[in-house]
Amino acid sequence: MTTVLTRSPFTHTWLRDPWSPQSAVAQGPVPAADVYREGEDLVARLDLPGVNPADDITVEVEGRKLVVRGERKDQRSQESEGRRISEVRFGSFRRTVTLPRTVDGDAVTASYDAGVLTVTVPGVFAGTTPQRIEVTTAA
């Protein structure tokens, strides 16, 4: 029997969480996230299947940062025969989104439905309008 070990492209230290200076590998499992602007609100949607939102997820506002942390616990029994291939990652996670300005944490809402955590930070973009910068080309 030959065993071949390969390195996953997702374990390289150059692959970083776009919202945190720490590497994704150092943090453990990092849930996939969509963060976008919806009018004056910031909406963050994180894929967190298999977690109990009441016990395993914490959403906090720390200054200008929205921090979602928690743990995905392994509920499988350890009794199994033969080979096992597991691509599901378990353990603690943390995602941080830098906000454009400080917000009142009481206004932030979070809901969990069908394995997706949706966090809404209302009014974080209020009064801000993008300023267009002209791009010049070399002649």
Side-chain angles (χ1 to χ4, degrees):
M1 178 173 108
T2 304
T3 302
V4 178
L5 299 175
T6 60
R7 181 174 216 158
S8 169
F10 301 108
T11 61
H12 292 274
T13 57
W14 54 264
L15 181 64
R16 299 192 181 273
D17 179 358
W19 295 285
S20 176
Q22 299 174 348
S23 73
V25 175
Q27 292 182 7
V30 179
D34 288 330
V35 180
Y36 55 93
R37 180 178 180 165
E38 190 172 88
E40 294 181 344
D41 303 342
L42 179 134
V43 178
R45 295 180 43 138
L46 290 88
D47 289 340
L48 296 171
V51 299
N52 179 347
D55 297 332
D56 300 335
I57 299 174
T58 303
V59 179
E60 299 174 330
V61 174
E62 299 174 359
R64 286 187 48 214
K65 293 182 181 179
L66 173 67
V67 180
V68 178
R69 65 175 63 113
E71 182 177 7
R72 184 168 185 198
K73 298 174 183 168
D74 188 355
Q75 304 292 335
R76 301 171 298 171
S77 69
Q78 295 299 320
E79 298 176 18
S80 65
E81 293 185 26
R83 294 182 183 201
R84 172 185 275 182
I85 297 174
S86 179
E87 295 182 350
V88 178
R89 298 181 70 181
F90 298 94
S92 297
F93 61 87
R94 176 184 167 137
R95 288 301 299 251
T96 303
V97 178
T98 302
L99 303 172
R101 63 184 175 93
T102 305
V103 297
D104 179 19
D106 293 334
V108 177
T109 60
S111 63
Y112 183 84
D113 184 37
V116 177
L117 174 70
T118 303
V119 181
T120 304
V121 183
V124 75
F125 293 108
T128 61
T129 54
Q131 181 180 358
R132 188 169 185 103
I133 307 298
E134 181 182 344
V135 178
T136 60
T137 58

